Amino acid sequence: MSVPVTGRASAHAGKSIWHAAWLPPAAFRELGSRPVLVHGEGLLVDTVLDEVSRACARYGGRVWHGPPWQVDADLVLALREAGRVPNVAAESARLGATPAVNGAGDGALGDEGYLLARVDGVTVVLADAPAGLLYGMFHVVRLGAAAFDDELPARRHRPALDRRILDHWDNVDIHPVSGQIERGYAGGSLFWRDGAARHDHARLRDYGRLLAACGVNAITVNNVNVHDTEARLLTDRLGDVAETAQVLRPYGVRVHLSVSFAAPVVLGGLPTADPLDDRVRAWWAAATRRVYQRIPDFGGYLVKADSEGRPGPFAYGRDHADGANLLAEALAPHGGVVRWRAFVYDHRQDWRDRSTDRARAAHDHFAPLDGRFDDNVILQVKFGPIDFQPREPVSPVLAAMPATRLAVELQATQEYTGQQRHVCYLGPWWSEVLRFRPRGEAGGTIADVAAGRAGAGGGLVAVANVGDDPFWTAHPLAQANLYAFGRLAWDPLLVPGAILDEWIDLTWLPVATGDPETVRRTMHAIMDDSWRTYERYTAPLGVGFMVRPGHHYGPDVDGYEYTPWGTYHFADRDGVGVDRTRATGTGFTGQYPPPWSEVYESRERCPDELLLFFHHVPYRHVLHSGRTVIQHIYDTHFAGVEEVAAMRERWRLVAGAVDPAVHDRVAERLDEQFRSAVEWRDQINTYFFRKSGVPDAHGRRIH
Ligand code: GCV
């Protein structure tokens, strides 16, 4: 049947109550105003067709899909395997798309890759699999007019990491302490509400679309802390998971499930969950078989075991390789993976005991197990040794397990970075982590670890920051973190400032803003360095925490100091910081390979921003910057507040140029950020002034 399919009914008819985030319709203007040819079949090709059709219906373009072709398309999106493309330029690109593109290689595009080229006045996206076509289409959208510029270089694009996952810490029931979403700052869950599935397919589909547009290809639908109701998602509530999988599938997003290690007991009625017990193995095999019957492309399980009170193999005298391999065995016949978290530490530590060091825990537990995990086990490691602080060294586990597939876990939800009330663009921080070389300049990066050998790495994971808030992330500017996560997982070498501009351009389009250039410059100025601003007015020099216990918002310098949680700063009248050296401290520096084991061990060589993570130093210790520690604390805290004040002023300048609802929401949050930053500044400065007795060299007001 001849098309054009322009004008076919939109799955998104009607007005949404939620904001469009980074893909408002106008983002498709360039693509939608042209003749477009889509060639190929498949579920995700249908998605491409649907996207292009809606754009063309809006902006006057036309779409062809199927004969008779007779089309002079400006844009051709084709699966190579679909055969001859009825467009001379595109066909020559198809036939010529061989090793020549991007230099060496076999020209293969893989499951998700694509070739983007401009050939004789036609923009061509070629892919070997439907997902590649979808990602290629979103690339064209990102480029806007530049996608149709004859200067567009021919390039093959493939993701650096195969696994690009968002873990939702969403509960099905409203948990009495953690609520609907643990550490969630953007309203309710997209999946669950008050004990049941929401069935909000339109919103879920839009979510899938946002994810695909930035490159995310998997999610986990429930919290790693698996409570009673959530445990049943594996069995009698599996239908809800299958439904979510079905809605997200057209956008190439696969679903994973957090499971309880105790499931054979709590769901299966067995007397034990011992990983070496045959009844337990049989139970997991059967439960997993049923999952795959309902969800054939199910991704796998995520497990938090023996951590913060969750059940695990230790109860049976087994180790974590035994535990992880149990689930791996059940998943292997179906092609699934188990992501096993390395976040295992003693949360009932005695603060008087200076020999126990929470930073050491993951390495102590897991490094000796290297080589013992099955092939489909991925060990998921928080990027730092403690817990998603605004500054930590990179976890030594990531350099210690060459025979294990490792995933790097980030936190998009801003638990410790302002809880989506503060602007804190995390792209620069994540980029720094991903580019870090744990074995020094001659070795690979953390991104290489996540990619693994021959692409078999565990990938990059972030704890999600979205909810059912109209702006998705409550703070409209926090959307940039979600976007940056996806883009960095696709290509860890992208420059965070450029990702930010990409997000700004895709989200705050000229048609929607009165003065696009000012909006662009203003947003960039507010956000680009906001992580460092946040660092300046919170805990100094990598010492971490100093947040209010429990909810973790706002300052409380000694809040965790005499608690069992293992997060201490040890400030006294003479100095501050944690001695983690081999010479006199906990020996944590010895978990790093050279050169970092030496650099971190040495007070003189340790980078300033991590000094108090590794060393206990006198207040008058002089940093590389030339300032003393105490003066650094005062200066950065005064500076951080001034920077927030400047952000607030900048935002005032764009009133009238952006949607008033967005402007109001951001303005209200900037007011709170300013209030909170002042509170941080005053508590930290006052605390250290009172401890040290050293006055501010500039005589500023300290209480
Ligand atoms: C899901 C920190 C958070 C917890 C979280 C835990 C984890 O401790 O405060 O809310 O629990 O990390 O990553 O498992």
Side-chain angles (χ1 to χ4, degrees):
M1 234 298 276
S2 159
V3 222
V5 289
T6 299
R8 72 193 211 158
S10 162
H12 299 256
K15 191 162 162 42
S16 320
I17 51 152
W18 56 91
H19 187 261
W22 51 83
L23 284 179
F28 285 71
R29 178 184 293 273
E30 290 294 338
L31 179 155
S33 56
R34 298 165 192 272
V36 181
L37 193 155
V38 178
H39 187 37
E41 304 294 335
L43 181 66
L44 274 68
V45 179
D46 290 345
T47 307
V48 171
L49 199 55
D50 179 53
E51 291 283 353
V52 174
S53 302
R54 281 189 286 126
C56 288
R58 187 179 285 263
Y59 293 110
R62 298 188 72 188
V63 190
W64 281 265
H65 179 236
W69 298 97
Q70 293 304 315
V71 55
D72 288 327
D74 277 0
L75 172 65
V76 173
L77 298 144
L79 284 184
R80 285 203 290 194
E81 60 168 33
R84 202 184 75 77
V85 185
N87 173 291
V88 178
E91 179 61 4
S92 85
R94 187 177 76 91
L95 295 175
T98 54
V101 178
N102 275 14
D106 57 3
L109 301 171
D111 289 345
E112 298 183 307
Y114 54 91
L115 171 80
L116 174 60
R118 182 89 178 150
V119 187
D120 299 334
V122 178
T123 297
V124 183
V125 176
L126 295 173
D128 286 346
L133 214 56
L134 183 66
Y135 291 126
M137 179 203 67
F138 281 126
H139 193 153
V140 170
V141 173
R142 272 202 301 279
L143 289 175
F148 302 94
D149 187 324
D150 285 339
E151 302 301 304
L152 184 78
R155 268 199 66 189
R156 188 172 65 143
H157 301 263
R158 292 182 63 164
L161 309 177
D162 290 346
R163 294 173 186 276
R164 309 178 299 278
I165 309 175
L166 283 167
D167 284 349
H168 285 261
W169 285 356
D170 297 19
N171 300 315
V172 179
D173 282 334
I174 297 179
H175 186 267
V177 178
S178 60
Q180 189 77 71
I181 305 183
E182 181 154 357
R183 311 303 178 186
Y185 310 106
S189 164
L190 295 173
F191 313 106
W192 321 107
R193 181 158 54 201
D194 209 2
R198 291 187 66 155
H199 309 294
D200 187 348
H201 292 188
R203 182 106 196 226
L204 266 190
R205 191 179 156 93
D206 273 4
Y207 183 47
R209 180 170 182 261
L210 290 177
L211 296 186
C214 66
V216 171
N217 66 1
I219 61 162
T220 308
V221 294
N222 65 307
N223 189 359
V224 287
N225 290 328
V226 183
H227 309 291
D228 292 350
T229 302
E230 293 74 16
R232 291 167 49 205
L233 293 172
L234 179 62
T235 52
D236 53 313
R237 286 187 176 238
L238 182 60
D240 292 337
V241 184
E243 189 180 307
T244 299
Q246 188 175 358
V247 178
L248 295 177
R249 193 170 287 125
Y251 282 98
V253 177
R254 287 173 84 180
V255 160
H256 294 234
L257 199 57
S258 294
V259 295
S260 165
F261 191 76
V265 177
V266 296
L267 301 173
L270 293 181
T272 177
D274 183 347
L276 301 193
D277 187 300
D278 284 342
R279 292 165 300 173
V280 172
R281 295 171 61 202
W283 188 88
W284 277 110
T288 306
R289 206 176 311 119
R290 284 192 293 272
V291 172
Y292 279 90
Q293 276 159 6
R294 295 290 288 274
I295 313 170
D297 57 353
F298 180 71
Y301 299 141
L302 172 64
V303 187
K304 172 176 177 178
D306 291 318
S307 168
E308 299 183 334
R310 309 322 300 166
F314 285 163
Y316 307 98
R318 314 295 181 197
D319 65 26
H320 280 246
D322 297 327
N325 291 344
L326 164 74
L327 301 190
E329 181 186 74
L331 288 155
H334 313 283
V337 295
V338 54
R339 282 183 291 130
W340 191 269
R341 294 178 87 224
F343 184 60
V344 176
Y345 70 101
D346 179 6
H347 71 288
R348 297 205 180 91
Q349 193 184 320
D350 182 350
W351 59 268
R352 300 164 195 83
D353 166 16
R354 297 288 284 255
S355 68
T356 304
D357 180 4
R358 173 168 165 179
R360 292 188 57 111
H363 188 284
D364 282 345
H365 284 297
F366 287 95
L369 302 179
D370 190 32
R372 292 238 349 256
F373 292 101
D374 287 354
D375 288 347
N376 60 331
V377 174
I378 289 171
L379 188 68
Q380 185 162 307
V381 184
K382 287 192 182 186
F383 73 83
I386 300 278
D387 195 8
F388 300 136
Q389 296 303 291
R391 181 71 75 172
E392 287 185 57
V394 165
S395 169
V397 177
L398 295 169
M401 303 188 65
T404 304
R405 297 172 75 181
L406 297 173
V408 179
E409 188 178 297
L410 309 170
Q411 194 181 42
T413 195
Q414 291 174 235
E415 177 176 0
Y416 298 104
T417 50
Q419 304 201 348
Q420 280 139 255
R421 291 190 239 179
H422 297 215
V423 182
C424 186
Y425 173 52
L426 293 165
W429 182 206
W430 295 340
S431 169
E432 214 172 290
V433 168
L434 291 167
R435 288 166 183 257
F436 181 75
R437 295 180 186 274
R439 294 183 180 279
E441 283 312 306
T445 62
I446 292 299
D448 295 331
V449 173
R453 275 194 225 106
L460 196 65
V461 181
V463 183
N465 63 349
V466 300
D468 69 357
D469 175 83
F471 301 103
W472 296 91
T473 49
H475 199 312
L477 307 189
Q479 289 171 14
N481 287 332
L482 194 65
Y483 185 81
F485 165 73
R487 298 290 289 132
L488 284 169
W490 181 281
D491 182 356
L493 294 179
L494 290 175
V495 175
I499 298 176
L500 177 60
D501 287 341
E502 208 177 271
W503 173 77
I504 294 170
D505 289 349
L506 267 184
T507 309
W508 313 92
L509 289 138
V511 281
T513 58
D515 179 357
E517 201 33 53
T518 306
V519 169
R520 188 180 205 266
R521 251 187 294 112
T522 305
M523 298 244 176
H524 189 100
I526 289 173
M527 296 174 72
D528 197 26
D529 204 34
S530 54
W531 158 59
R532 288 194 182 82
T533 294
Y534 185 83
E535 182 184 22
R536 280 180 200 113
Y537 62 76
T538 55
L541 297 165
V543 78
F545 275 79
M546 299 190 171
V547 289
R548 279 204 184 270
H551 59 61
H552 296 169
Y553 186 73
D556 186 347
V557 183
D558 278 340
Y560 273 109
E561 198 59 13
Y562 306 104
T563 72
W565 293 94
T567 48
Y568 314 121
H569 54 68
F570 298 118
D572 56 28
R573 64 179 184 175
D574 300 318
V576 56
V578 189
D579 185 351
R580 293 193 159 106
T581 63
R582 303 190 284 288
T584 52
T586 68
F588 171 68
T589 58
Q591 292 185 340
Y592 288 88
W596 297 107
S597 53
E598 303 309 321
V599 171
Y600 293 148
E601 176 75 7
S602 156
R603 204 189 261 200
E604 283 63 48
R605 294 176 66 198
C606 183
D608 282 352
E609 68 274 12
L610 289 172
L611 185 69
L612 303 185
F613 191 94
F614 287 105
H615 297 273
H616 186 88
V617 299
Y619 291 114
R620 293 188 195 272
H621 174 87
V622 179
L623 298 166
H624 295 124
S625 68
R627 282 187 293 200
T628 60
V629 165
I630 190 73
Q631 194 56 43
H632 171 96
I633 292 175
Y634 298 149
D635 288 351
T636 51
H637 284 77
F638 283 114
V641 170
E642 278 165 28
E643 285 160 21
V644 176
M647 285 177 178
R648 205 159 57 147
E649 281 314 306
R650 287 201 169 98
W651 188 248
R652 286 195 181 123
L653 294 177
V654 294
V658 296
D659 176 346
V662 178
H663 195 273
D664 289 354
R665 176 69 75 93
V666 174
E668 159 244 306
R669 302 231 150 195
L670 280 167
D671 286 347
E672 165 54 18
Q673 181 168 3
F674 181 74
R675 185 207 63 75
S676 176
V678 167
E679 194 60 31
W680 271 100
R681 176 195 68 193
D682 291 345
Q683 286 204 27
I684 300 266
N685 283 349
T686 302
Y687 180 94
F688 284 106
F689 173 60
R690 289 183 186 174
K691 279 265 174 204
S692 69
V694 180
D696 172 30
H698 306 296
R700 288 164 292 194
R701 183 171 163 77
I702 296 179
H703 301 270

